Amino acid sequence: MAENPGMPVRPSGRLLRAPEHFLSPAQIAEVTAGRRGFLRGAFAAALAGTGGVAAAQGTGDANILELPAHTKGLGQPVATHGYGQPSQYERNLQRRESPGLTRVSAASVSFAPLQGMFGIITPNGLHFERHHQGWWDIDPSKHRLMINGLVKNPLVFTMDDLMRLPSVSRMHFIECGANTGMEWGNVAVPTVQYTHGMLSCCEFTGVALSTLLDMAGYDKKAGKYILVEGADGSSMTRTVAMERALDDCMVAYAMNGEMLRPENGYPLRMVAPGIQGVSWVKWLRRIEVGDMPYGTKDETLHYVDLMPDGLHRQYTSIQECKSVITSPSGGQTLLDKGFHNITGLAWSGRGKIRRVDVSTDGGRNWRTAKLESPILSKCLTRFNFGWVWDGGPAILQSRAIDDTGYVQPKINQLRAVRGTRSIYHNNAIQSWRVAEGGEVSNVQVY
Amino acid sequence: MSRCIELASACLGATALCLTLAAPAAAQQSFPGIGRAATPAEIAAWDIDVRPDFKGLPKGSGTVARGQKVWDEKCASCHGTFGESNEVFPPIVGGTTAEDIQRGRVKALTEPVGRTTLMKLSSLSALWDYINRAMPWDRPKSLSTDEVYAVVAYILHLGDILPGDFVLSDATIRQAEQRLPNRNGKVKYEPLWNLKGKGDVTNVACMKDCPVGAILASYLPDYARDAHGNLALQTRAVGPTRGVDTSAPSLNAPPPPPTDPALALANRHSCMACHRMEGKHVGPAFKDVAARYAGKPDAAAVLAAKVKSGGAGNWGQIPMPPNTGLSDQDLAVLVKWILSGGS
């Protein structure tokens, strides 16, 4: 994996303790040996350009006392970038592949950096990707959607047609069925990006699928299923229950106020709320109404859950209730003891989040977190929980409950029924261990 | 559908009359001017799916021999000469037996081994449909119908499912499917298909003094610390946390699961083969032993002698063998540990 150049590791703010956060063991030995001159040198190097130490010295913070260039000069003009970009200081937040997970990047996954996200909406450029045969940027004037099968009127729509129809906009999460799949047997990856990053949430805009099915005159008696099919090389196909299709599925052309990104199916994708991501077929070209499930490759060979008795469960579509603390989380170091906001995401493919509880002692005692609005059906919900870290070891967990009353399970409860080789549908409680010194790591405790 | 299309085109001239005639299209009329009828040729061009009941399967046939030729030219570079390769994609062939073919269930799926395509395949339509729509990986939809039949036949031959002289066709495909090693290995799992289904695993929302295991069951080994690159460069450089610099050795590695030296000793001397701290096993629970000796001034000496000499009758008729090989030092540690109830 090519490492992105990234932001230098530089402390800022009140990072006054624990030099081990950015010094090497050899340098720490120097510090412990009392060679303060060395320490000053190391700090000077590490803090160049920041006011970390200055805050505690002299008459005040140099960042306040010495007016910076941006306060004393002229900034850049409007429309310098016709399409704005994140700050140069944000370049560490990238979607990334998990090394060794796949061999070819055109049939792979990139994980969304949940550790750095706020609220519930995923920025379009950080939405996770899963492609089976590479992605395309399709000319929308040439894209067509066909509806056929058990319908009175097989129809063809252009993008112009679809965008003229009444539109709906709704916020929904999308989660790959294999999200957290690497952790069924044991801890395998270090950060929330890799444990839970096949998860994103957008406001989607498109046409209610029920509108299109009505226009085609679908067979209300025999039409129990639909097949959705993509226009890319893989021509991905998945079966969706007609009941779900009529309820809240849509064919979407927009995400978060702009057209879909090519990597997310531009110009048209299926949105199947609550259902695993593979059914949200991208570059959607065709919907067929049928009277039986289609048993496609991704319903027969993949996205089937292996049980301990050797039987595979097929058509396991619903993403059950799940949550994860995104900060503090694995691979991070707490700056200092004292107050920290434990924050994370909760979601359920069956409806709304009713409650999230947080434990800081590995699941012995729990308190209820604050849910931020909006709390929407089949959508991410942000939770926050105030915590004063005493500097000692802790294990952070979150546990979500949805409006069906279902309580997110522990990994050992899942394993007791489904074994360790199911790959899909791991919605276990995630544990993050905070060590003395503040380093947070991925652990499994139950 | 052609009748509908004819009706629709015949109606273009006389709208008022046709609104009643073209009743099937009534729903479409709610959004006039949007969408149009698909032509039969258009539907044929895109409607290529083959269902588990083989609806949609085009007529055609292919031999194992022809399949080998196509395979060697177009498939083997990714999937290996025998479909066994794990270099680019998971292996296709392997892990199935003649017994599996008889039974229709693959035994190796209950074992901790990797899974091949043929171990999982339960309906032949899935393999045919997928190769037809998506293979070869870099040139999908370039195979002819007969080539698809041939390649499917060859894959099944590589898995010892079909004989070398088998001709796979729309007429014989059901016969071939009846030999799939895992044809009985799938179940449609309704609880995760239906929105209102109840899952098979749930938790209880205990809030206080909840039962938890005492140990870290799993954590990343130190050597895998930088397996995902330098995490310091994957985390925002401002805020309540920083990414851990995994280019440097860990300073906060989780400790190994706590091990009690006395328990390790008890394991080494095979005490734990017959005893548990709590609950009777072959021999009495150590906690029960501790309770019996509680308050006796010579407890340590008496118990030490019993451990060394063994015996029967005090706790039932199963005898405890003598432990003459125990050093006095180890014995003292073990006796103290047992009498303290494991603390």
Side-chain angles (χ1 to χ4, degrees), chain A residues 187 361-364 395 397 411-412 415 431 433 443-446, chain B residues 211-219 254-260 263:
Chain A
V187 165
D361 62 2
R364 224 174 273 280
I395 292 175
Q397 298 179 330
I411 182 70
N412 58 322
R415 281 189 196 134
S431 305
R433 179 179 187 273
V443 296
Q444 291 186 347
V445 297
Y446 36 81
Chain B
V212 289
I215 58 162
L216 292 179
S218 179
Y219 51 87
T259 51
D260 183 336
L263 175 61

Side-chain angles (χ1 to χ4, degrees), chain A residues 107 130-133 227 232-239 278 294-304 314-315 424, chain B residues 49-50 52 89 117 120-135 137 186:
Chain A
R130 170 77 174 104
H131 311 310
H132 292 248
Q133 224 146 325
L227 179 77
D232 61 320
S234 76
S235 297
M236 166 73 76
T237 41
R238 283 277 295 183
T239 305
V278 64
Y294 286 83
T296 70
K297 181 263 287 179
D298 288 303
E299 294 162 347
T300 303
L301 295 172
H302 304 295
Y303 304 91
V304 287
Q314 229 175 342
Y315 304 109
Y424 305 97
Chain B
D49 66 274
V50 181
F89 299 107
T117 300
K120 294 187 280 185
L121 189 66
S122 48
S123 52
L124 202 42
S125 60
L127 188 63
W128 201 101
D129 175 272
Y130 181 60
I131 292 172
N132 183 53
R133 73 173 54 242
M135 289 293 115
W137 195 56
K186 294 276 162 60

